[in-house]
Amino acid sequence: MRIYLLPLTLTAALMSPTIAHAEEVNHYQAKSADTLEQALVNFTEYNDRLKRLLAGDLNGSDLAQVHELTYTLENALAKIDAEVEDMAESLEEVHLASERADSEAVRKHGTAYLGAAKKLIN
């Protein structure tokens, strides 16, 4: 019976440092991205921070900083993704309205689409 316990004991012993390390990971408060404009500001700023960190040797402190800034980048990307999805829906409305030759709908949805898209490119 002891022979069967040996693999389990070794597995548990090898996993314990990993488990202990995983418990040490801190979770940080991310900057919010309530608007597309704020998401783009955070996206730009935190990508620059990540780029600077990646240019170095990545010691423990650097890795902690990378971990921390990913929370804000994730928030920014989620907001950007939601806004781009809305833009795609507006553009689809433009497309469908143009097929129906509905100039009012083309103007309405086209204006909404361009207003949102402008935030991405400016």
Side-chain angles (χ1 to χ4, degrees), residues 30-51:
K31 277 189 167 182
S32 64
D34 298 324
T35 65
L36 179 57
E37 294 86 355
Q38 186 58 52
L40 292 169
V41 166
N42 292 349
F43 184 71
T44 300
E45 177 184 339
Y46 280 68
N47 275 337
D48 288 344
R49 289 182 184 188
L50 179 58
K51 183 179 178 181

Side-chain angles (χ1 to χ4, degrees), residues 85-101:
E85 187 174 319
D86 289 346
M87 283 181 231
E89 290 174 12
S90 290
L91 184 59
E92 181 63 13
E93 290 298 327
V94 173
H95 176 88
L96 295 173
S98 70
E99 287 180 343
R100 296 188 310 269

Side-chain angles (χ1 to χ4, degrees), residues 1 8-9 15-16 19-20 29 34 36 40 42 44 51 63 65-68 74 82 87 93 95 104 109 113 120:
M1 189 82 157
L8 290 174
T9 304
M15 287 180 59
S16 61
I19 292 170
Q29 184 66 35
D34 298 324
L36 179 57
L40 292 169
N42 292 349
T44 300
K51 183 179 178 181
L63 292 173
Q65 288 178 51
V66 167
H67 180 78
E68 183 175 357
E74 288 167 355
M87 283 181 231
E93 290 298 327
H95 176 88
E104 255 183 69
H109 295 292
Y113 165 76
L120 280 179

